[in-house]
Amino acid sequence: MEPSFICIGFQKCGTTSLYDLLKKNRHVYLTEDVKEPMFYRVPFMRFFLGRKWYCQRYFGHYVDAVLGKTDSACEVGLITGRRGHAEPDAAGISTHPHEPGKPEQCADSSTGRHKLIAGEVNAGLGYSNCAKWIGKDFAPNTKLVFMMRDPADRCYSAYKYFLALGFLPVSAVAYDLKHGHAEGFDHYVRSVLLNKEHRHSIMKKRFKYMCFSQGNYATIIKEYLRYFPRSNMKLVFFEDFVSDQETVTKDILHFLGIPEDSEMVFPVKSNETNFKAVAPLSPLILKIMQAFYYLFFEFLSLGRRCPAFFKGFMGVYDWSMDHLTRPDTGNEKMLPETRKLLNRYYRRQMEQVEKLTGRPLPERWGRTQ
């Protein structure tokens, strides 16, 4: 089974909220056990495991779900936003965003089959050569959704989110812990954008400079345009999504050919967990644990075959998160000087996005305050 749509991203632009909304729709079948598959984000895994493995791993129970023999598989989840345990609610159902659930199915009264449209929501598909491999493996009529946000805002949000997860230099984490987010972010931005070698490496080393690279929306969209027609792409502004989530979500459903579901409840706000490292080296420990997580439970599927092992590992991970991070209650705004620097860097990208969408950018984009 191949998905008929992919939400490409971008990170910190509302894709997790869209994911949670789509999971509430009884006509949607999303990737099994994993929220954001690493398959196309780790090219050698695609080469080693093959396309058939991808279909079996992430959509292997689709036919049974269509025939009503099984519930839609739910995700084990992306652990990067996870911090601590969640207690079950009054009905005994865990409220943790990454605990298994059983979405209701919707059967066609005439055939008895469930109308399910398979898809993947993966905000990390703007890295490396993802477009190249997806373009080779998916049919040109695959629908793609891109969610974009003011690039400077997205960059700052990504910076704060990744600080505690080992995706930024130890020096950046140490500086932030000492000086706070606003000054720490300004220091980090200047260390990259004011260094010619670093600045020119952003799109060559996308994962290393992940705070910056995924803000180059136009460049990444154009990579996908080599393989998919513009008519099969939906470009969504995060600011519109936030201001009228219901209308924008229904517009996305219409584009994807997915029926609306009267039981969907709006608005949904997801992935807003804020936490910070307790020490400069603590994020490296979490990064190593995340690597083991993806190896054990995504590529080796040990979560299905050894549920006790999965439960134990996640218990250790939650304990580590509780002891290596602490809640981040700071709400420091980005310094105006930092925003101006980012606006200069992203200026041409914003101009190209406006041309690609054929509509004016939201007023928030490119502001100086």
Side-chain angles (χ1 to χ4, degrees):
M1 172 60 203
E2 297 184 358
S4 61
F5 74 88
I6 308 175
C7 178
I8 302 296
F10 295 90
Q11 288 179 324
K12 307 310 294 179
C13 293
T15 52
T16 302
S17 293
L18 178 62
Y19 173 89
D20 288 339
L21 282 166
L22 291 177
K23 276 192 69 67
K24 294 176 182 293
N25 189 300
R26 295 169 293 172
H27 302 285
V28 177
Y29 192 91
L30 296 176
T31 47
E32 300 170 9
D33 300 329
V34 181
K35 175 181 176 287
E36 295 185 335
M38 296 294 289
F39 186 80
Y40 285 103
R41 296 161 68 175
V42 185
F44 78 88
M45 284 296 185
R46 174 193 175 275
F47 177 81
F48 179 74
L49 296 172
R51 173 67 172 168
K52 289 185 178 179
W53 183 92
Y54 169 86
C55 295
Q56 180 62 34
R57 174 65 182 86
Y58 303 113
F59 301 96
H61 295 88
Y62 174 82
V63 174
D64 286 341
V66 169
L67 297 176
K69 295 180 180 179
T70 182
D71 290 307
S72 294
C74 60
E75 86 280 11
V76 169
L78 179 69
I79 62 173
T80 50
R82 179 180 178 123
R83 189 177 195 278
H85 300 276
E87 298 299 326
D89 62 14
I93 300 173
S94 172
T95 56
H96 196 290
H98 302 310
E99 287 297 318
K102 293 185 178 180
E104 183 181 352
Q105 300 298 310
C106 185
D108 186 310
S109 58
S110 60
T111 64
R113 294 190 173 192
H114 299 292
K115 181 177 178 61
L116 289 174
I117 298 176
E120 175 179 341
V121 179
N122 196 333
L125 294 177
Y127 295 133
S128 189
N129 292 315
C130 295
K132 174 183 176 181
W133 302 119
I134 290 174
K136 286 185 176 182
D137 288 353
F138 287 83
N141 63 351
T142 303
K143 299 289 184 69
L144 306 181
V145 177
F146 297 88
M147 298 187 71
M148 299 170 288
R149 178 184 187 180
D150 171 77
D153 287 342
R154 193 215 67 84
C155 189
Y156 190 33
S157 180
Y159 166 82
K160 291 186 288 184
Y161 186 68
F162 293 130
L163 269 174
L165 299 174
F167 298 110
L168 293 177
V170 173
S171 59
V173 178
Y175 193 94
D176 186 273
L177 287 173
K178 183 176 182 179
H179 299 279
H181 290 330
E183 288 191 30
F185 183 57
D186 181 75
H187 182 266
Y188 179 58
V189 169
R190 292 180 183 279
S191 71
V192 176
L193 297 188
L194 296 185
N195 182 303
K196 185 176 181 180
E197 181 180 353
H198 293 171
R199 187 174 67 252
H200 289 172
S201 298
I202 288 176
M203 296 308 287
K204 297 177 182 178
K205 302 177 181 179
R206 297 184 185 183
F207 189 76
K208 179 178 181 180
Y209 297 107
M210 58 197 310
C211 285
F212 303 95
S213 60
Q214 279 217 339
N216 288 300
Y217 308 131
T219 297
I220 297 171
I221 292 171
K222 287 179 179 179
E223 290 179 3
Y224 282 93
L225 281 170
R226 299 172 186 169
Y227 308 96
F228 303 93
R230 173 65 181 85
S231 58
N232 276 34
M233 297 182 179
K234 182 72 174 177
L235 309 184
V236 181
F237 290 135
F238 169 83
E239 290 79 7
D240 294 340
F241 182 67
V242 170
S243 64
D244 192 349
Q245 190 181 93
E246 182 173 359
T247 297
V248 173
T249 301
K250 289 181 178 179
D251 189 41
I252 293 173
L253 292 175
H254 178 74
F255 168 75
L256 297 177
I258 299 172
E260 294 182 16
D261 190 335
S262 60
E263 296 187 4
M264 293 180 69
V265 178
F266 302 91
V268 167
K269 292 184 179 181
S270 308
N271 210 17
E272 294 190 332
T273 303
N274 293 314
F275 48 91
K276 61 194 305 182
V278 298
L281 292 178
S282 61
L284 294 181
I285 300 175
L286 295 178
K287 186 177 182 180
I288 293 172
M289 295 192 69
Q290 290 168 53
F292 279 111
Y293 169 86
Y294 290 120
L295 174 62
F296 290 154
F297 303 115
E298 180 168 355
F299 293 120
L300 298 181
S301 302
L302 293 185
R304 292 178 176 178
R305 290 180 285 172
C306 306
F309 177 42
F310 170 76
K311 183 177 180 180
F313 179 90
M314 295 313 297
V316 173
Y317 185 83
D318 285 336
W319 182 91
S320 300
M321 284 290 290
D322 286 338
H323 289 79
L324 297 178
T325 68
R326 61 176 181 267
D328 185 1
T329 58
N331 56 358
E332 300 174 68
K333 293 184 178 180
M334 187 191 316
L335 298 177
E337 296 78 10
T338 316
R339 185 178 293 279
K340 290 177 182 178
L341 185 58
L342 287 166
N343 286 342
R344 286 200 298 271
Y345 172 70
Y346 288 118
R347 179 175 56 83
R348 293 193 66 181
Q349 289 289 319
M350 290 189 282
E351 293 172 352
Q352 293 175 34
V353 166
E354 195 166 40
K355 293 179 180 179
L356 286 169
T357 59
R359 52 172 293 196
L361 299 176
E363 292 183 2
R364 291 180 60 86
W365 285 44
R367 69 190 188 282
T368 58
Q369 297 293 331

